[in-house]
Amino acid sequence: MPKDQHDGTGRPAPGGRSGRGRAPARGVASRPVRPARRGPSGLAAGGRGSTGTAVAERPPTGFRQRVRTSLDLIRANPTGRVALKIFIAIAGALVVTVGLALIPLPGPGWLIVIGGLAIWAVEFHWARRLLAFTRRHVQAWTRWATSRSLPVRIALGSVGLIFVATVVWLSLKYSLGIDLVARLLHYLATH
């Protein structure tokens, strides 16, 4: 099969025999056929000569590759592509919403928001860019904080704990009507 008659996965291109003038399915990466690997005898692997015939490589194994292959197969079908986008949009929105609701409460609110962003990044380019931006800045902050002296790291940790305690106090006070500071002061005054 000539090089221009495949969709990058080794399958025939959609649209009949020639497949010319048609772009590969959206989301399916189009890549050129790799030339055959040469063995010690100068022949291509599999006993073929220098005819330019591509040798099928073993697909890489692993969970990520299986997921990527499954997503590519879903995206190859127009109905599957739309259904996948809708599913990813809804799943990401649910996770981000839960994460945003948990931000003022103690717990991993921001991590859940970033997890929802990672779900969206499977299908949406803007989310992929935002996730890369977030990762870069978190890694830069971590490198900066760990390169500081121990007293500076203790001060940073203390500021973080004070911030979390303030958020917990305000969220309990204004959402549930429980004022921990007033109760603590009352307890100390009566005992």
Side-chain angles (χ1 to χ4, degrees):
M1 173 180 288
K3 286 184 181 180
D4 62 340
Q5 292 184 4
H6 67 86
D7 66 357
T9 60
R11 294 184 300 270
R17 292 184 175 181
S18 72
R20 293 182 181 166
R22 301 212 41 185
R26 192 168 153 217
V28 175
S30 176
R31 57 182 185 263
V33 174
R34 293 183 183 178
R37 288 191 232 172
R38 304 278 175 211
S41 64
L43 294 176
R48 294 191 176 144
S50 60
T51 61
T53 305
V55 175
E57 294 181 19
R58 279 175 84 179
T61 58
F63 178 74
R64 284 184 177 218
Q65 184 60 35
R66 285 193 300 263
V67 168
R68 191 173 295 132
T69 302
S70 298
L71 290 175
D72 286 344
L73 288 173
I74 293 169
R75 288 180 186 125
N77 181 345
T79 305
R81 185 172 41 251
V82 171
L84 181 66
K85 268 197 186 296
I86 291 170
F87 175 76
I88 293 294
I90 291 171
L94 287 173
V95 173
V96 166
T97 302
V98 168
L100 289 173
L102 292 177
I103 286 174
L105 300 175
W110 282 111
L111 289 177
I112 293 173
V113 170
I114 291 171
L117 196 59
I119 291 172
W120 276 338
V122 168
E123 198 60 32
F124 301 107
H125 293 289
W126 62 268
R128 201 170 300 136
R129 287 192 306 267
L130 185 58
L131 188 62
F133 173 82
T134 304
R135 282 183 182 159
R136 275 195 315 270
H137 282 79
V138 167
Q139 289 171 352
W141 166 256
T142 304
R143 276 194 306 272
W144 180 84
T146 56
S147 68
R148 303 295 145 212
S149 65
L150 184 60
V152 172
R153 286 187 285 179
I154 290 172
L156 288 172
S158 300
V159 167
L161 287 175
I162 290 170
F163 175 76
V164 169
T166 304
V167 167
V168 169
W169 171 62
L170 289 173
S171 64
L172 288 175
K173 182 177 179 180
Y174 291 111
S175 63
L176 300 176
I178 302 170
D179 190 357
L180 292 178
V181 174
R183 286 188 181 193
L184 178 66
L185 291 175
H186 177 69
Y187 177 79
L188 292 175
T190 58
H191 287 87

